[in-house]
Amino acid sequence: LGYFTFDPGFVATASCRSSITYLDGDKGILEYRGYPIEQLAESSTFTEVCYLLLHGELPNKDDLSKFDHTITTHTMLHEAMKRFYSGFRRDAHPMSTMVGVVGALSSFYHHGEDIHDPEHRKITAHRLIAKMPTIAAWSYRYANGQPMVYPKNSLDYSSNFLHMMFSMPTEEYTPDPLYVKALDLLLILHADHEQNASTSTVRLAGSSGANPFAALSAGIASLWGPAHGGANEAVIRMLQDIVDSDNDVAHYVARAKDKSDRFRLMGFGHRVYKNFDPRAVIIRKTCMDLLAKLGPDNEYQALFDTAHELEKIALADDYFVKRNLYPNVDFYSGIILLAMGIPLNMFTVIFAMARTVGWISQWNEMIADDDFRIGRPRQLYTGANTRDYVDIENR
Ligand code: CMC
């Protein structure tokens, strides 16, 4: 192999130095800037976590109120973007819309922008964090043929998103505080996760000096896949299938173990966590609390009970135990989103909204790093040896 190692899937390659997120997969530890995820989930808010990820320290009251104010000044999208939405198919998956819209924003923020100027990088981060809820909610409104709702800057981040999703010009809408809190928690838990596929994509795309909105759009595309952020949508489809099939959980577990079947238990397994995913523990509890508040006859209980049953069976099964496969962040999060009235195809969009701060913090860190250079993996060549070109008549 000469001077480089062969590492498909980057199982054992550190591609960068980073001081943002710490992850210990054996112990189930996740920390943002040194703060345990459990403490942030319990006590923080999403915009405070955004500040922490971007700046490295928790804000004081004044810092946070200035930061919140700055974010709200960037929540609007250029009016021309409204017309851009109408170029998409009505039934387009909102992730495809998001990839397009975020990429298209590079056309508004390109001239005169200098990625090597920290001040410009900061404004880029603010713009992206602020505009993602608007972009996300508008993809939903467009798909439903409903009028786009402008952001309401008197609302906090999560309330504002729910407002843009669900309010109608015909009646007053007040987001339910229970859902606002649950959404804020989900955003905190998804905000960063070191060098996962989408973050590495943003870094690699951005390492050529590309426009950050374009680099983020590449990250959103990567997140969409079912092995990554698309799993939250796939989990609910799987649970619904199980419920519809008279709860034949064992059959689905058997399918997941059968190597001739491509089916996998969605929301199970993780490249780094080999003991438990600390985010899944918090989300399961939040899900239980939320459903308890909705009462025993709530329509999501069957999905939760099935998920719980699946978890119990799988965790007692040799196949999953030997391979260290546990429920991950996506296993219970979808049930919370469904209960909030969020449609299935918006789940990964919400993941992208949360992860934006992680992507842009990592991009910023990369550009500011003294070792910053273009990302350029090598390969193990397995093709033909040198041979002479043969004229087409003689082949
Ligand atoms: N169901 C059944 N078997 C599985 C599963 C699963 N969910 N996940 C892994 N395995 C098996 C896999 O078949 C392999 O078995 P063997 O050694 O016999 O060939 C072994 O476990 C190792 O799997 P791998 O694919 O080499 O592991 P990986 O680290 O490359 O993949 C993963 C990690 C998350 C992509 C994978 O576990 C998976 O596909 N899970 C289901 C999708 C999912 O829930 N994704 C969300 C991940 S967390 C949130 C995020 O990243 O966005």
Side-chain angles (χ1 to χ4, degrees):
L1 290 182
Y3 58 90
F4 54 87
T5 48
F6 180 53
D7 182 16
F10 305 109
V11 174
T13 299
S15 59
C16 62
R17 273 195 292 257
S18 181
S19 61
I20 300 174
T21 289
Y22 174 73
L23 212 163
D24 182 329
D26 294 327
K27 297 196 183 122
I29 293 174
L30 170 62
E31 294 171 357
Y32 297 160
R33 302 285 191 184
Y35 293 101
I37 195 66
E38 292 79 6
Q39 291 181 23
L40 294 169
E42 176 72 29
S43 313
S44 191
T45 62
F46 180 61
T47 52
E48 184 176 70
V49 164
C50 287
Y51 185 100
L52 173 67
L53 288 169
L54 280 173
H55 296 263
E57 296 298 333
L58 283 169
N60 63 28
K61 269 190 186 162
D62 193 37
D63 296 331
L64 185 59
S65 110
K66 280 191 191 135
F67 181 73
D68 281 342
H69 177 72
T70 305
I71 294 299
T72 58
T73 60
H74 292 291
T75 50
M76 291 283 281
L77 287 184
H78 193 287
E79 275 299 290
M81 291 310 290
K82 255 169 121 178
R83 291 198 297 279
F84 188 76
Y85 277 85
S86 56
F88 289 93
R89 268 174 72 122
R90 259 289 171 244
D91 57 355
H93 194 289
M95 278 302 277
S96 69
T97 316
M98 187 174 243
V99 168
V101 172
V102 173
L105 281 182
S106 59
S107 68
F108 293 93
Y109 306 112
H110 192 63
H111 307 289
E113 305 284 320
D114 176 8
I115 59 165
H116 297 289
D117 177 347
E119 205 44 43
H120 276 176
R121 291 205 299 276
K122 198 153 74 171
I123 295 170
T124 299
H126 295 158
R127 282 178 177 145
L128 274 159
I129 294 166
K131 291 180 197 309
M132 283 300 263
T134 316
I135 294 168
W138 283 15
S139 64
Y140 170 74
R141 305 294 294 209
Y142 173 72
N144 283 296
Q146 292 168 347
M148 311 305 204
V149 175
Y150 289 111
K152 196 171 181 178
N153 286 347
S154 56
L155 296 175
D156 63 82
Y157 195 87
S158 293
S159 302
N160 197 19
F161 172 67
L162 293 175
H163 158 73
M164 288 187 282
M165 284 284 289
F166 298 124
S167 76
M168 288 293 167
T170 42
E171 57 195 271
E172 258 317 293
Y173 167 82
T174 311
D176 185 328
L178 195 64
Y179 295 152
V180 172
K181 197 162 184 314
L183 177 61
D184 219 59
L185 176 85
L186 288 180
L187 297 182
I188 292 172
L189 296 178
H190 287 82
D192 194 46
H193 212 235
E194 53 120 298
Q195 307 312 318
N196 55 84
S198 56
T199 303
S200 299
T201 301
V202 170
R203 278 187 179 256
L204 195 56
S207 76
S208 68
N211 179 291
F213 288 85
L216 258 281
S217 157
I220 296 166
S222 167
L223 184 76
W224 192 4
H228 195 3
N232 55 13
E233 185 180 331
V235 167
I236 297 295
R237 292 193 197 285
M238 175 186 77
L239 293 177
Q240 195 60 59
D241 277 353
I242 299 176
V243 171
D244 293 346
S245 71
D246 281 340
N247 247 353
D248 193 358
V249 178
H251 168 69
Y252 285 80
V253 172
R255 273 190 70 194
K257 289 160 41 175
D258 177 0
K259 296 289 174 192
S260 66
D261 188 335
R262 292 178 68 86
F263 175 79
R264 284 186 167 194
L265 278 193
M266 298 314 287
F268 250 78
H270 197 273
R271 171 63 63 77
V272 186
Y273 293 122
K274 296 299 174 198
N275 214 331
F276 66 96
D277 179 339
R279 303 166 301 173
V281 175
I282 300 168
I283 291 178
R284 180 178 40 207
K285 180 166 183 318
T286 306
C287 188
M288 279 169 70
D289 292 350
L290 187 77
L291 295 187
K293 283 187 185 139
L294 296 181
D297 297 330
N298 74 77
E299 56 184 298
Y300 314 100
Q301 198 62 45
L303 288 177
F304 181 85
D305 293 343
T306 303
H308 197 53
E309 176 73 10
L310 197 58
E311 181 180 350
K312 264 197 331 207
I313 295 183
L315 294 188
D317 189 301
D318 245 18
Y319 174 95
F320 294 91
V321 174
K322 266 197 197 131
R323 291 171 179 75
N324 300 311
L325 301 170
Y326 297 88
N328 59 48
V329 66
D330 293 317
F331 197 60
Y332 288 102
S333 62
I335 301 176
I336 299 178
L337 292 172
L338 265 194
M340 289 166 59
I342 307 275
L344 208 48
N345 64 7
M346 284 295 290
F347 288 11
T348 315
V349 166
I350 290 174
F351 192 154
M353 202 167 99
R355 185 57 57 84
T356 292
V357 63
W359 289 329
I360 204 66
S361 302
Q362 301 261 354
W363 170 82
N364 179 48
E365 181 180 63
M366 172 184 74
I367 309 265
D369 195 319
D370 289 341
D371 286 342
F372 171 53
R373 61 204 298 216
I374 189 166
R376 203 329 184 161
R378 298 304 309 270
Q379 64 168 6
L380 195 61
Y381 178 67
T382 58
N385 288 331
T386 312
R387 46 189 170 163
D388 287 326
Y389 178 80
V390 180
D391 213 62
I392 197 157
E393 283 79 31
N394 297 320
R395 282 178 218 157

